Amino acid sequence: MAMPAAARVVLVCGLTGLGLVVLNQMTAPSLDPSLERASVLGSILSVLLLLVALLWQRVEPVAPERVPLQGREGLHLAPDLDAPLAEELGWGSTMLLTATPAAVVLLHWRGRVLLERGLLGSGAFQPGTICRRCTATGKAISLVDLKLYPGREEFAALPTGLPAVLVQPLGQEGVLVLGGWSPRCFSRSDLIWVDGWARRLTGELARVSAEEAPAGEVSSTAAPGTG
């Protein structure tokens, strides 16, 4: 909890005024009505200053310290991505790593990892219960302190000791996973930014998947008996 400098000044003035009023009362040779009225007014003003200082006070949460994660920084990108999609993934992952508290960005789409950037993990990531629930509900899941969640083994492929994880759905077929440097590190604005990029990315991935679909899959939608 922190108090702004201006609020501290007002608090000191209120305490000083209240103390002087009490001291004046105690040292006065006689308590005549005019002195009592002045003391009451002085006390009221001092108390008002104290109330202003208390109302001015803000609760400023201390940013949690970054956990010293082990791992090497790198970039793994699926080699068969087309140029526009690879450029989109490169730009988006760079922004997430620089503009948010993310230490690692991982994208899993249709059974394989298309992107892993930042601190690289030690194995192949496979979505589990948490990721499946995320895609089923279509809502992001923020694990603010990973060690408190029983399903944390799902993210064992990410850097060891990762304190926080954010799972963002990409439609029904993929997830965007962010690992944070510290517990409770992802803010409301971070969640909004990630959600916006995920929506754009889902459309781009769906477009690429449709272009790469075999011709047989497209023709199979024709009505039976034609031709």
Side-chain angles (χ1 to χ4, degrees), residues 93-168:
S93 60
T94 299
M95 292 301 297
L96 289 177
L97 291 172
T98 55
T100 73
V104 58
V105 178
L106 184 144
L107 189 151
H108 189 275
W109 176 260
R110 290 191 172 181
R112 65 188 187 121
V113 175
L114 301 186
L115 166 75
E116 186 177 8
R117 190 170 191 175
L119 288 180
L120 302 181
S122 57
F125 174 78
Q126 291 294 333
T129 304
I130 296 175
C131 290
R132 287 193 293 269
R133 184 168 73 249
C134 178
T135 55
T137 61
K139 298 180 179 179
I141 296 178
S142 180
L143 309 178
V144 296
D145 196 346
L146 192 59
K147 67 176 182 291
L148 302 179
Y149 292 87
R152 59 184 177 274
E153 293 80 9
E154 179 177 346
F155 306 99
L158 299 178
T160 304
L162 204 64
V165 168
L166 171 63
V167 184
Q168 176 70 42

Side-chain angles (χ1 to χ4, degrees), residues 7-178:
R8 290 197 296 269
V9 172
V10 175
L11 181 64
V12 170
C13 291
L15 291 174
T16 302
L18 190 60
L20 291 176
V21 169
V22 174
L23 180 62
N24 185 53
Q25 284 284 95
M26 294 177 63
T27 57
S30 61
L31 298 178
D32 52 40
S34 59
L35 177 60
E36 292 181 354
R37 288 194 298 271
S39 298
V40 170
L41 290 176
S43 301
I44 293 175
L45 291 176
S46 299
V47 171
L48 288 176
L49 287 175
L50 293 176
L51 290 176
V52 169
L54 293 176
L55 293 175
W56 202 335
Q57 183 179 5
R58 299 177 182 175
V59 177
E60 299 180 357
V62 179
E65 296 183 359
R66 287 171 49 144
V67 175
L69 300 175
Q70 300 297 322
R72 63 180 183 86
E73 293 190 8
L75 168 64
H76 286 167
L77 196 63
D80 57 342
L81 299 178
D82 67 349
L85 179 57
E87 183 178 355
E88 178 70 25
L89 293 179
W91 171 85
S93 60
T94 299
M95 292 301 297
L96 289 177
L97 291 172
T98 55
T100 73
V104 58
V105 178
L106 184 144
L107 189 151
H108 189 275
W109 176 260
R110 290 191 172 181
R112 65 188 187 121
V113 175
L114 301 186
L115 166 75
E116 186 177 8
R117 190 170 191 175
L119 288 180
L120 302 181
S122 57
F125 174 78
Q126 291 294 333
T129 304
I130 296 175
C131 290
R132 287 193 293 269
R133 184 168 73 249
C134 178
T135 55
T137 61
K139 298 180 179 179
I141 296 178
S142 180
L143 309 178
V144 296
D145 196 346
L146 192 59
K147 67 176 182 291
L148 302 179
Y149 292 87
R152 59 184 177 274
E153 293 80 9
E154 179 177 346
F155 306 99
L158 299 178
T160 304
L162 204 64
V165 168
L166 171 63
V167 184
Q168 176 70 42
L170 301 174
Q172 299 291 320
E173 300 182 276
V175 289
L176 181 65
V177 180
L178 276 68

Side-chain angles (χ1 to χ4, degrees), residues 145-222:
D145 196 346
L146 192 59
K147 67 176 182 291
L148 302 179
Y149 292 87
R152 59 184 177 274
E153 293 80 9
E154 179 177 346
F155 306 99
L158 299 178
T160 304
L162 204 64
V165 168
L166 171 63
V167 184
Q168 176 70 42
L170 301 174
Q172 299 291 320
E173 300 182 276
V175 289
L176 181 65
V177 180
L178 276 68
W181 283 104
S182 57
R184 296 173 298 278
C185 60
F186 293 110
S187 65
R188 177 67 177 171
S189 60
D190 295 330
L191 298 179
I192 295 174
W193 200 97
V194 172
D195 178 70
W197 187 57
R199 292 175 184 272
R200 167 175 170 157
L201 195 56
T202 302
E204 185 69 14
L205 289 167
R207 177 193 64 80
V208 172
S209 299
E211 292 177 354
E212 295 177 348
E217 294 184 5
V218 177
S219 61
S220 64
T221 60

